[in-house]
Amino acid sequence: MSRLLIGVLVLCSVQVIFAPCLSMEGDGNATNLSMEQRIAVLEENLTLVQRQLDIVLKRTATIYDLVEELDHRLGKLQNNVTWLLNFAVPSAPADFRIESIRKSPEGNYTVTLRWRNGPDYMRINRFVIWSAKKGETTYGGAVYVNQTGKRIVKGELTGFAKGDEIVFKIFAKNDAGQSKATYLEARIRSYAPVLMWWIKVLSVVGLLVVVGAALLWIGLRRARRQGRES
């Protein structure tokens, strides 16, 4: 009986001692299995990522080819637009006005006209200016101005008499045709804007001098009166 009890106690002791080891071994096997499963899952995910990366790279290469094709087509389109613009009619001259009117010794009047071109002024070959008396429908005396490549251009017309009311008409031209007309009406008389400006300035200065002298004279008279009274 005692031997049986001793045997049972020994078995219990062995189970108590080796149970943690057995459980650890079992846990280790479970851990090894989960790691293997995780590695397998990671390998599968890596394979999927590699496939997706290959697809993205192929699509990127396709997009890059499309971008190159679009860039090539855009270059052709720009060349076509440039070619078409070279054959497009220019814009009409703007700010068409008189620069000066001068009288010659023979009694004729020469008119200097001034105008401003649009942004396409580099495509203009020349300008044509026509003139007619106000009320007439037929323009004559065409004058060609070849001052190209400038934003501000001037041209002269001569042969007018004092008092004439003239309508001027100007076109810008190139190989494609001519622009819309720009009109200007003017009465022929001696006209020099710079000279008139200086005359106005001198008139104002002279008026100020006269007013200042008058005020100074009045002040001096008052001072003399006050001196006599004191």
Side-chain angles (χ1 to χ4, degrees):
M1 186 68 181
S2 60
R3 289 180 180 179
L4 181 60
L5 291 173
I6 292 171
V8 172
L9 291 173
V10 170
L11 290 174
C12 290
S13 300
V14 170
Q15 186 176 3
V16 171
I17 293 171
F18 289 98
C21 296
L22 293 174
S23 63
M24 290 177 63
E25 184 178 359
D27 293 339
N29 292 332
T31 303
N32 292 333
L33 290 175
S34 63
M35 288 297 294
E36 291 176 355
Q37 291 176 356
R38 290 178 182 178
I39 291 173
V41 171
L42 289 174
E43 288 179 349
E44 291 178 359
N45 292 334
L46 183 60
T47 303
L48 292 175
V49 170
Q50 185 66 36
R51 291 177 182 175
Q52 293 177 358
L53 182 60
D54 292 338
I55 294 172
V56 170
L57 290 175
K58 290 180 180 179
R59 290 181 179 178
T60 303
T62 303
I63 293 173
Y64 182 75
D65 293 338
L66 291 175
V67 170
E68 285 189 341
E69 180 66 21
L70 289 175
D71 185 66
H72 180 66
R73 292 184 179 181
L74 181 61
K76 285 187 175 181
L77 181 61
Q78 289 177 346
N79 293 332
N80 292 334
V81 170
T82 303
W83 183 81
L84 289 174
L85 287 177
N86 289 332
F87 290 93
V89 295
S91 57
D95 194 20
F96 189 36
R97 57 190 175 89
I98 293 177
E99 177 78 8
S100 64
I101 300 177
R102 302 186 308 275
K103 183 179 180 181
S104 66
E106 293 79 13
N108 295 324
Y109 284 81
T110 299
V111 179
T112 301
L113 300 171
R114 172 191 176 103
W115 61 92
R116 177 174 51 84
N117 296 317
D120 56 349
Y121 65 96
M122 294 300 295
R123 297 189 290 104
I124 298 174
N125 295 339
R126 61 180 178 175
F127 303 91
V128 184
I129 306 174
W130 298 81
S131 61
K133 290 186 177 181
K134 188 175 181 179
E136 295 182 355
T137 57
T138 303
Y139 287 83
V143 174
Y144 296 92
V145 180
N146 296 320
Q147 297 182 29
T148 58
K150 299 179 180 180
R151 292 300 300 268
I152 305 297
V153 187
K154 298 179 182 180
E156 289 187 353
L157 288 84
T158 188
F160 302 104
K162 184 177 181 180
D164 289 344
E165 293 186 4
I166 305 298
V167 178
F168 298 97
K169 179 172 63 173
I170 185 173
F171 297 95
K173 302 191 70 175
N174 62 6
D175 295 336
Q178 65 183 18
S179 68
K180 294 181 179 179
T182 302
Y183 295 88
L184 172 67
E185 294 185 9
R187 180 184 293 274
I188 303 301
R189 65 184 189 277
S190 297
Y191 179 78
V194 176
L195 179 60
M196 295 299 295
W197 183 81
W198 278 109
I199 291 174
K200 291 180 181 179
V201 171
L202 293 175
S203 299
V204 173
V205 172
L207 180 61
L208 292 175
V209 170
V210 171
V211 172
L215 293 175
L216 180 61
W217 182 74
I218 293 172
L220 291 174
R221 289 193 62 181
R222 288 181 179 178
R224 288 178 181 178
R225 287 180 182 178
Q226 291 177 357
R228 291 175 182 176
E229 292 176 357
S230 61

